[in-house]
Amino acid sequence: MQRLEALLEGLRARDRGSVARALNLLEDRRPAQREAQRALVRASAAMARGRVFGVTGPPGAGKSTLCSALVRAFRASGRRVGVVAVDPSSVNSGGALLGDRLRILTHEGPGGVDEGVFVRSLAAGGALGGLSRTAPACVDLLAAAFDVVLVETVGVGQSEVDVARVADLTLVAVQPASGDALQFLKAGILEIPDVLVVTKADLGDPARRAVGDLRHALAVAREAGVDRGAADAVSVCAVSSETGEGIADLVATLDRRWDALEEGDGLAIRRFHGGVALAFETVARRVGELGVDALGGEATVRARLRGLVAMELPSMEAAETIVDEAVAALRTLTP
Amino acid sequence: MPKDKPWIFRTYSGHSTPEASNTLYRTNLAKGQTGLSVAFDLPTQTGFDSDAPEARGEVGKVGVPIGHLGDMRALFDQIPIEKMNTSMTINATAPWLLALYVALAEERGVSPRVLQGTTQNDVLKEFLARGTYVAPPAASVRLTVDVVTYTVEHVPDWNPMNVCSYHLQEAGATPVQELAYSLANAIQVLDATRARLGAGADLTSVFARLSFFVNAGIRFVDEVCKMRAFGRLWERLGRERYGVTDEKALRFRYGVQVNSLGLTERQPENNIVRIVLESLGVTLSKNARCRALQLPAWNEALGLPRPWDQQWSLRIQQVLAYETDLLEHEDLFEGSLVVEKRVAELCAEAWAEVEEVLRRGGALAAIESGYVKSKLVESNATRIAAIERGEQIVVGVNKFGETAESPLTKGTDGGIMVVDPALAARQIERLEQHRKARSQGAVDAALAELRRVLASGENVMPASIAAAKAGVTTGEWGKALRDVVGDYRAPTGLAGASVASARGNTQDAARLEALRARVRGLAAKLGRPAKLLVGKPGLDGHSNGAEQIALKARDVGFEVVYDGIRSTPESLVASALEEGVHLVGLSILSGSHLELVPEILERMTKAGLGDVPVVVGGIIPDADAKTLLARGVRRVYTPKDFELEAIMADLVDVLAGQQP
């Protein structure tokens, strides 16, 4: 317990070593750690929260270089940046290759290490490529310790949807002349992005065309009433991570959008819905389809989770409360 | 018929200081060596001064440090460069080292027009293997072309670029991949040169000056065929893509270093036999014979070779050229149906892969996307798996392992050369003296001009030669390049590579499954999946070992963090902390382990990571391994530990023994 106190103290002081150990603890799956994990989650929820930006998009769209460019831009303005990078796990072994992307490119400080940047890579649990089980809690913890948190995902399967649930704003990277823009529009995934970022703007015409295509398609969607309303309108930016072109504008757009959300309670509403959705998915994963039915069906479970999350319970804890009830009920069936 | 002229005999050498290397060169020349092959140390290759933080532990290790014109003077002291054929293994800093050489010649009153030799200057392959790149790929091609166009005009007998297939084979390339990817790299540079010279320019003189640096492995019959295929494809390329018609210009010219990848640490005396056989692959066929040959030493897998070891390798060449009847015959393979069939096969497959790379936008694009690297990592994994399974026999390693004690490694030096660490300090002292003695005004002006030229896109050679004469240092030249053009990190290729081990037989599959179960068991103990940081500290870019360990570790269920080459101790410790790893594995092949590893251990302790076990792999002599273990390293792996799964099982043991 004394160790936990010291850890919480270190976390409040934003000490790098304490942040690292706190993340290790959050990733720990042993039931014995649950109490300590709850304490951590509560402690980070009580701290000022940094801005969380999700970065997703198809493989090869330039997410990693975009993240590096964003890290540099945020650092240039003196903001401390945490990064959660999610990589897929191997279906066969459960192993994963992580990282290999960001740490390198800041070059500040002795030995190329910038103490204002902190990168934790997580393996996505399961083959579908969603966020790892512990990613939301890790993101919240980093958000307590850093001014800005970037959450980079593999951009396939479930992860795009998941990232929008943990991030305040979500960027979707789109590569020009790749068919990405078209695919994106066909799929009609408009609930995910807040900002569409056309990468590789240094390509010139193809990038300009991609921006035009996206704007046109968004206008069509608005007319068709698929849009989420003015406050949620999708911004379109073009950047070159290589030359730095457009990065400052992107940062300004992100900050402006974030401030607007914050002002109008939008952020709280988003976090609430995101939290409920994540909690429901956790419950569903743990108890399965039959379990959800036994608990009264999806609508009932969601309503209960809404109640719990509304009581300021972190989503992880809300989910656990329901799962614990289900487990207790199952235990009574044991012959 | 008259005897054919022998190829140029070289020994790849250089170490410690320019003076020590100069003594070595003069001794080798006296022993009948006919050309020089300069090995530079890693700071020189990557554009750092000997006293730069990045150079810690690397000064004078894998070659000679050359920091300024004074070092170049000392290196070639009493050696008539106007009569020498000097090969320099230099890539990212090739324009700079060539500038120093030209400056030295002019200082001695020797016209650059008579200089003969080679700058390796193939930066593209550095992104795939070896890793001594500095600038991003596109900017690197521009510098390569600068050297090509400059020398074609001003140093006409110079080979401005040695297109390397050598390192591709070392990175695991099959003969087809070796052919295809080196030709694709050559195409990239030739296309860029054509673009520079303008449409309609005659490329004959450029095409004629490009030479190749090729590897020869133990399958020497296949190597004979590969060399014949190379000649054929090169000629085709010249005719079809570049409109070259001059027969002499179309000739495929190449130098060779035979394979180091296959040299073993176990029963190292067998390596001499391997080296002899590999030499046959590039000398037997008169029509596809190498122009220059350098042989590794038998004890390379143990550590740095001594002068005697290098002499032994030189003698192999001399016996082959002067005692045997090899040079008395016309080509032995003309009309051989067997050879012809294999050559045709290699040509067809390699050409198809060249076209695949071109479809992907050429070598530059295929390197930036990680395509080529993934292919190489995959081939190497397949090769290693075949050795592990005993399908590919390596005598003395996975078969016939019993051995009498070797007298060769019994000497007090353990059969290798040990570089005196005091020499690095002396080199740094010389550098400081040099900085004091030069005119700062002249240096500043030269650097300003260099930066202007780097930014404008003009040829960087004239400004570099002027900078050499003004006393600019290697680190200053490198910094100008980094500042103006930018730094770069190449894709590791790991994400795209699939592992071959799943294809094994049922016995192998069962063994793998048992290993995975043990790794899963660790997760229960640790509370989360076991997480491993694979790190390559220092400037050494030989990443095969680290890559294969990372791939295999993922394959058995570890979460693996691998940041690629050239990490600093600081950045590795930061990674270990931020990523929350359970185990750190370091790979070092340049011989700087005694400097780098203890520093990392100290920094880990300071960061509160003293309880995270550290293991080290590399070319680490026994005595050094003992030192490292005494300092707290938990395991040391050397080339004799070739079974990756055995290493994985050992890592599980290390973690299983940890207190939670």
Side-chain angles (χ1 to χ4, degrees), chain A residues 289-315:
Chain A
E289 224 176 284
L290 292 174
V292 171
D293 283 346
L295 286 164
E298 182 173 337
T300 312
V301 174
R302 278 190 191 273
R304 286 210 52 205
L305 286 169
R306 273 197 294 275
L308 292 168
V309 174
M311 286 156 54
E312 302 275 305
L313 210 55
S315 63

PDB file of all heavy atoms in Angstrom, chain A residues 289-315:
ATOM      1  N   GLU A 289     -22.551 -13.128 -25.630  1.00  0.00           N
ATOM      2  CA  GLU A 289     -23.902 -12.813 -26.093  1.00  0.00           C
ATOM      3  C   GLU A 289     -24.966 -13.357 -25.133  1.00  0.00           C
ATOM      4  O   GLU A 289     -25.897 -12.658 -24.743  1.00  0.00           O
ATOM      5  CB  GLU A 289     -24.081 -13.489 -27.451  1.00  0.00           C
ATOM      6  CG  GLU A 289     -24.747 -12.635 -28.507  1.00  0.00           C
ATOM      7  CD  GLU A 289     -24.772 -13.390 -29.820  1.00  0.00           C
ATOM      8  OE1 GLU A 289     -23.720 -13.477 -30.477  1.00  0.00           O
ATOM      9  OE2 GLU A 289     -25.852 -13.926 -30.150  1.00  0.00           O
ATOM     10  N   LEU A 290     -24.746 -14.622 -24.712  1.00  0.00           N
ATOM     11  CA  LEU A 290     -25.725 -15.245 -23.815  1.00  0.00           C
ATOM     12  C   LEU A 290     -25.780 -14.509 -22.488  1.00  0.00           C
ATOM     13  O   LEU A 290     -26.854 -14.317 -21.911  1.00  0.00           O
ATOM     14  CB  LEU A 290     -25.354 -16.715 -23.577  1.00  0.00           C
ATOM     15  CG  LEU A 290     -25.490 -17.613 -24.803  1.00  0.00           C
ATOM     16  CD1 LEU A 290     -24.965 -19.019 -24.483  1.00  0.00           C
ATOM     17  CD2 LEU A 290     -26.949 -17.668 -25.244  1.00  0.00           C
ATOM     18  N   GLY A 291     -24.603 -14.083 -22.060  1.00  0.00           N
ATOM     19  CA  GLY A 291     -24.534 -13.355 -20.796  1.00  0.00           C
ATOM     20  C   GLY A 291     -25.313 -12.052 -20.855  1.00  0.00           C
ATOM     21  O   GLY A 291     -26.046 -11.699 -19.922  1.00  0.00           O
ATOM     22  N   VAL A 292     -25.150 -11.311 -21.992  1.00  0.00           N
ATOM     23  CA  VAL A 292     -25.879 -10.052 -22.141  1.00  0.00           C
ATOM     24  C   VAL A 292     -27.377 -10.311 -22.094  1.00  0.00           C
ATOM     25  O   VAL A 292     -28.140  -9.596 -21.420  1.00  0.00           O
ATOM     26  CB  VAL A 292     -25.467  -9.338 -23.446  1.00  0.00           C
ATOM     27  CG1 VAL A 292     -26.370  -8.140 -23.720  1.00  0.00           C
ATOM     28  CG2 VAL A 292     -24.005  -8.896 -23.373  1.00  0.00           C
ATOM     29  N   ASP A 293     -27.815 -11.373 -22.797  1.00  0.00           N
ATOM     30  CA  ASP A 293     -29.249 -11.725 -22.766  1.00  0.00           C
ATOM     31  C   ASP A 293     -29.696 -11.997 -21.334  1.00  0.00           C
ATOM     32  O   ASP A 293     -30.750 -11.522 -20.893  1.00  0.00           O
ATOM     33  CB  ASP A 293     -29.505 -12.970 -23.632  1.00  0.00           C
ATOM     34  CG  ASP A 293     -29.495 -12.604 -25.102  1.00  0.00           C
ATOM     35  OD1 ASP A 293     -29.562 -11.386 -25.404  1.00  0.00           O
ATOM     36  OD2 ASP A 293     -29.402 -13.509 -25.946  1.00  0.00           O
ATOM     37  N   ALA A 294     -28.905 -12.781 -20.614  1.00  0.00           N
ATOM     38  CA  ALA A 294     -29.270 -13.148 -19.255  1.00  0.00           C
ATOM     39  C   ALA A 294     -29.349 -11.919 -18.332  1.00  0.00           C
ATOM     40  O   ALA A 294     -30.099 -11.897 -17.366  1.00  0.00           O
ATOM     41  CB  ALA A 294     -28.274 -14.167 -18.697  1.00  0.00           C
ATOM     42  N   LEU A 295     -28.552 -10.895 -18.697  1.00  0.00           N
ATOM     43  CA  LEU A 295     -28.575  -9.673 -17.877  1.00  0.00           C
ATOM     44  C   LEU A 295     -29.731  -8.751 -18.265  1.00  0.00           C
ATOM     45  O   LEU A 295     -29.790  -7.615 -17.818  1.00  0.00           O
ATOM     46  CB  LEU A 295     -27.240  -8.926 -18.021  1.00  0.00           C
ATOM     47  CG  LEU A 295     -26.029  -9.542 -17.306  1.00  0.00           C
ATOM     48  CD1 LEU A 295     -24.729  -8.959 -17.826  1.00  0.00           C
ATOM     49  CD2 LEU A 295     -26.124  -9.352 -15.798  1.00  0.00           C
ATOM     50  N   GLY A 296     -30.588  -9.213 -19.158  1.00  0.00           N
ATOM     51  CA  GLY A 296     -31.762  -8.422 -19.506  1.00  0.00           C
ATOM     52  C   GLY A 296     -31.689  -7.806 -20.893  1.00  0.00           C
ATOM     53  O   GLY A 296     -32.523  -6.974 -21.255  1.00  0.00           O
ATOM     54  N   GLY A 297     -30.675  -8.178 -21.644  1.00  0.00           N
ATOM     55  CA  GLY A 297     -30.576  -7.681 -23.020  1.00  0.00           C
ATOM     56  C   GLY A 297     -29.734  -6.419 -23.115  1.00  0.00           C
ATOM     57  O   GLY A 297     -29.446  -5.748 -22.118  1.00  0.00           O
ATOM     58  N   GLU A 298     -29.345  -6.097 -24.370  1.00  0.00           N
ATOM     59  CA  GLU A 298     -28.403  -5.000 -24.599  1.00  0.00           C
ATOM     60  C   GLU A 298     -28.925  -3.672 -24.062  1.00  0.00           C
ATOM     61  O   GLU A 298     -28.209  -2.934 -23.385  1.00  0.00           O
ATOM     62  CB  GLU A 298     -28.102  -4.893 -26.102  1.00  0.00           C
ATOM     63  CG  GLU A 298     -27.099  -3.797 -26.398  1.00  0.00           C
ATOM     64  CD  GLU A 298     -26.639  -3.750 -27.839  1.00  0.00           C
ATOM     65  OE1 GLU A 298     -26.722  -4.788 -28.536  1.00  0.00           O
ATOM     66  OE2 GLU A 298     -26.193  -2.665 -28.266  1.00  0.00           O
ATOM     67  N   ALA A 299     -30.210  -3.369 -24.338  1.00  0.00           N
ATOM     68  CA  ALA A 299     -30.754  -2.062 -23.948  1.00  0.00           C
ATOM     69  C   ALA A 299     -30.680  -1.888 -22.432  1.00  0.00           C
ATOM     70  O   ALA A 299     -30.283  -0.831 -21.931  1.00  0.00           O
ATOM     71  CB  ALA A 299     -32.191  -1.940 -24.437  1.00  0.00           C
ATOM     72  N   THR A 300     -31.017  -2.959 -21.707  1.00  0.00           N
ATOM     73  CA  THR A 300     -30.994  -2.890 -20.249  1.00  0.00           C
ATOM     74  C   THR A 300     -29.586  -2.672 -19.735  1.00  0.00           C
ATOM     75  O   THR A 300     -29.344  -1.834 -18.859  1.00  0.00           O
ATOM     76  CB  THR A 300     -31.561  -4.212 -19.656  1.00  0.00           C
ATOM     77  OG1 THR A 300     -32.774  -4.501 -20.334  1.00  0.00           O
ATOM     78  CG2 THR A 300     -31.782  -4.098 -18.168  1.00  0.00           C
ATOM     79  N   VAL A 301     -28.655  -3.454 -20.295  1.00  0.00           N
ATOM     80  CA  VAL A 301     -27.262  -3.345 -19.842  1.00  0.00           C
ATOM     81  C   VAL A 301     -26.746  -1.932 -20.108  1.00  0.00           C
ATOM     82  O   VAL A 301     -26.120  -1.302 -19.254  1.00  0.00           O
ATOM     83  CB  VAL A 301     -26.379  -4.400 -20.540  1.00  0.00           C
ATOM     84  CG1 VAL A 301     -24.911  -4.181 -20.180  1.00  0.00           C
ATOM     85  CG2 VAL A 301     -26.820  -5.804 -20.133  1.00  0.00           C
ATOM     86  N   ARG A 302     -27.025  -1.420 -21.316  1.00  0.00           N
ATOM     87  CA  ARG A 302     -26.544  -0.076 -21.664  1.00  0.00           C
ATOM     88  C   ARG A 302     -27.134   0.973 -20.697  1.00  0.00           C
ATOM     89  O   ARG A 302     -26.444   1.884 -20.263  1.00  0.00           O
ATOM     90  CB  ARG A 302     -26.926   0.287 -23.097  1.00  0.00           C
ATOM     91  CG  ARG A 302     -25.973  -0.292 -24.125  1.00  0.00           C
ATOM     92  CD  ARG A 302     -26.261   0.294 -25.509  1.00  0.00           C
ATOM     93  NE  ARG A 302     -25.549  -0.416 -26.539  1.00  0.00           N
ATOM     94  CZ  ARG A 302     -24.291  -0.124 -26.928  1.00  0.00           C
ATOM     95  NH1 ARG A 302     -23.643   0.858 -26.336  1.00  0.00           N
ATOM     96  NH2 ARG A 302     -23.709  -0.827 -27.875  1.00  0.00           N
ATOM     97  N   ALA A 303     -28.418   0.807 -20.400  1.00  0.00           N
ATOM     98  CA  ALA A 303     -29.066   1.771 -19.507  1.00  0.00           C
ATOM     99  C   ALA A 303     -28.401   1.742 -18.136  1.00  0.00           C
ATOM    100  O   ALA A 303     -28.123   2.783 -17.538  1.00  0.00           O
ATOM    101  CB  ALA A 303     -30.544   1.435 -19.390  1.00  0.00           C
ATOM    102  N   ARG A 304     -28.114   0.558 -17.654  1.00  0.00           N
ATOM    103  CA  ARG A 304     -27.463   0.460 -16.344  1.00  0.00           C
ATOM    104  C   ARG A 304     -26.071   1.088 -16.371  1.00  0.00           C
ATOM    105  O   ARG A 304     -25.669   1.778 -15.439  1.00  0.00           O
ATOM    106  CB  ARG A 304     -27.346  -1.012 -15.924  1.00  0.00           C
ATOM    107  CG  ARG A 304     -28.671  -1.608 -15.500  1.00  0.00           C
ATOM    108  CD  ARG A 304     -28.474  -2.693 -14.473  1.00  0.00           C
ATOM    109  NE  ARG A 304     -27.666  -2.256 -13.346  1.00  0.00           N
ATOM    110  CZ  ARG A 304     -26.945  -3.086 -12.575  1.00  0.00           C
ATOM    111  NH1 ARG A 304     -26.932  -4.378 -12.835  1.00  0.00           N
ATOM    112  NH2 ARG A 304     -26.243  -2.619 -11.569  1.00  0.00           N
ATOM    113  N   LEU A 305     -25.341   0.834 -17.501  1.00  0.00           N
ATOM    114  CA  LEU A 305     -24.002   1.403 -17.618  1.00  0.00           C
ATOM    115  C   LEU A 305     -24.068   2.922 -17.668  1.00  0.00           C
ATOM    116  O   LEU A 305     -23.238   3.615 -17.083  1.00  0.00           O
ATOM    117  CB  LEU A 305     -23.289   0.854 -18.870  1.00  0.00           C
ATOM    118  CG  LEU A 305     -22.816  -0.608 -18.750  1.00  0.00           C
ATOM    119  CD1 LEU A 305     -22.368  -1.131 -20.112  1.00  0.00           C
ATOM    120  CD2 LEU A 305     -21.685  -0.720 -17.737  1.00  0.00           C
ATOM    121  N   ARG A 306     -25.096   3.428 -18.386  1.00  0.00           N
ATOM    122  CA  ARG A 306     -25.252   4.888 -18.450  1.00  0.00           C
ATOM    123  C   ARG A 306     -25.403   5.451 -17.044  1.00  0.00           C
ATOM    124  O   ARG A 306     -24.803   6.456 -16.693  1.00  0.00           O
ATOM    125  CB  ARG A 306     -26.450   5.273 -19.310  1.00  0.00           C
ATOM    126  CG  ARG A 306     -26.109   5.381 -20.794  1.00  0.00           C
ATOM    127  CD  ARG A 306     -27.174   6.153 -21.563  1.00  0.00           C
ATOM    128  NE  ARG A 306     -28.452   5.453 -21.601  1.00  0.00           N
ATOM    129  CZ  ARG A 306     -28.767   4.513 -22.502  1.00  0.00           C
ATOM    130  NH1 ARG A 306     -27.900   4.169 -23.429  1.00  0.00           N
ATOM    131  NH2 ARG A 306     -29.936   3.928 -22.464  1.00  0.00           N
ATOM    132  N   GLY A 307     -26.188   4.748 -16.249  1.00  0.00           N
ATOM    133  CA  GLY A 307     -26.389   5.181 -14.876  1.00  0.00           C
ATOM    134  C   GLY A 307     -25.079   5.199 -14.095  1.00  0.00           C
ATOM    135  O   GLY A 307     -24.749   6.174 -13.420  1.00  0.00           O
ATOM    136  N   LEU A 308     -24.315   4.122 -14.247  1.00  0.00           N
ATOM    137  CA  LEU A 308     -23.059   4.016 -13.501  1.00  0.00           C
ATOM    138  C   LEU A 308     -22.048   5.050 -13.955  1.00  0.00           C
ATOM    139  O   LEU A 308     -21.382   5.694 -13.140  1.00  0.00           O
ATOM    140  CB  LEU A 308     -22.472   2.598 -13.657  1.00  0.00           C
ATOM    141  CG  LEU A 308     -23.268   1.474 -12.974  1.00  0.00           C
ATOM    142  CD1 LEU A 308     -22.776   0.113 -13.436  1.00  0.00           C
ATOM    143  CD2 LEU A 308     -23.151   1.594 -11.451  1.00  0.00           C
ATOM    144  N   VAL A 309     -21.926   5.209 -15.296  1.00  0.00           N
ATOM    145  CA  VAL A 309     -20.950   6.173 -15.822  1.00  0.00           C
ATOM    146  C   VAL A 309     -21.381   7.593 -15.444  1.00  0.00           C
ATOM    147  O   VAL A 309     -20.547   8.448 -15.152  1.00  0.00           O
ATOM    148  CB  VAL A 309     -20.775   6.012 -17.344  1.00  0.00           C
ATOM    149  CG1 VAL A 309     -19.877   7.105 -17.907  1.00  0.00           C
ATOM    150  CG2 VAL A 309     -20.173   4.640 -17.668  1.00  0.00           C
ATOM    151  N   ALA A 310     -22.697   7.838 -15.404  1.00  0.00           N
ATOM    152  CA  ALA A 310     -23.188   9.162 -15.021  1.00  0.00           C
ATOM    153  C   ALA A 310     -22.812   9.473 -13.583  1.00  0.00           C
ATOM    154  O   ALA A 310     -22.676  10.631 -13.203  1.00  0.00           O
ATOM    155  CB  ALA A 310     -24.704   9.222 -15.201  1.00  0.00           C
ATOM    156  N   MET A 311     -22.643   8.414 -12.768  1.00  0.00           N
ATOM    157  CA  MET A 311     -22.219   8.626 -11.382  1.00  0.00           C
ATOM    158  C   MET A 311     -20.708   8.788 -11.291  1.00  0.00           C
ATOM    159  O   MET A 311     -20.090   8.500 -10.245  1.00  0.00           O
ATOM    160  CB  MET A 311     -22.650   7.439 -10.515  1.00  0.00           C
ATOM    161  CG  MET A 311     -24.142   7.403 -10.219  1.00  0.00           C
ATOM    162  SD  MET A 311     -24.682   5.711  -9.833  1.00  0.00           S
ATOM    163  CE  MET A 311     -23.558   5.280  -8.532  1.00  0.00           C
ATOM    164  N   GLU A 312     -20.107   9.199 -12.431  1.00  0.00           N
ATOM    165  CA  GLU A 312     -18.664   9.486 -12.462  1.00  0.00           C
ATOM    166  C   GLU A 312     -17.824   8.238 -12.275  1.00  0.00           C
ATOM    167  O   GLU A 312     -16.656   8.325 -11.905  1.00  0.00           O
ATOM    168  CB  GLU A 312     -18.285  10.517 -11.379  1.00  0.00           C
ATOM    169  CG  GLU A 312     -19.019  11.830 -11.499  1.00  0.00           C
ATOM    170  CD  GLU A 312     -18.330  12.783 -12.469  1.00  0.00           C
ATOM    171  OE1 GLU A 312     -17.146  13.062 -12.303  1.00  0.00           O
ATOM    172  OE2 GLU A 312     -19.016  13.212 -13.419  1.00  0.00           O
ATOM    173  N   LEU A 313     -18.405   7.075 -12.470  1.00  0.00           N
ATOM    174  CA  LEU A 313     -17.623   5.853 -12.343  1.00  0.00           C
ATOM    175  C   LEU A 313     -16.830   5.676 -13.645  1.00  0.00           C
ATOM    176  O   LEU A 313     -17.413   5.760 -14.730  1.00  0.00           O
ATOM    177  CB  LEU A 313     -18.580   4.673 -12.139  1.00  0.00           C
ATOM    178  CG  LEU A 313     -18.072   3.495 -11.322  1.00  0.00           C
ATOM    179  CD1 LEU A 313     -17.567   3.936  -9.953  1.00  0.00           C
ATOM    180  CD2 LEU A 313     -19.171   2.457 -11.179  1.00  0.00           C
ATOM    181  N   PRO A 314     -15.532   5.454 -13.568  1.00  0.00           N
ATOM    182  CA  PRO A 314     -14.794   5.222 -14.803  1.00  0.00           C
ATOM    183  C   PRO A 314     -15.366   4.007 -15.546  1.00  0.00           C
ATOM    184  O   PRO A 314     -15.872   3.079 -14.901  1.00  0.00           O
ATOM    185  CB  PRO A 314     -13.368   4.925 -14.322  1.00  0.00           C
ATOM    186  CG  PRO A 314     -13.299   5.495 -12.944  1.00  0.00           C
ATOM    187  CD  PRO A 314     -14.701   5.409 -12.387  1.00  0.00           C
ATOM    188  N   SER A 315     -15.282   4.042 -16.876  1.00  0.00           N
ATOM    189  CA  SER A 315     -15.972   3.020 -17.667  1.00  0.00           C
ATOM    190  C   SER A 315     -15.499   1.614 -17.296  1.00  0.00           C
ATOM    191  O   SER A 315     -16.274   0.666 -17.267  1.00  0.00           O
ATOM    192  CB  SER A 315     -15.772   3.285 -19.156  1.00  0.00           C
ATOM    193  OG  SER A 315     -14.406   3.182 -19.476  1.00  0.00           O
TER     194      SER A 315
END
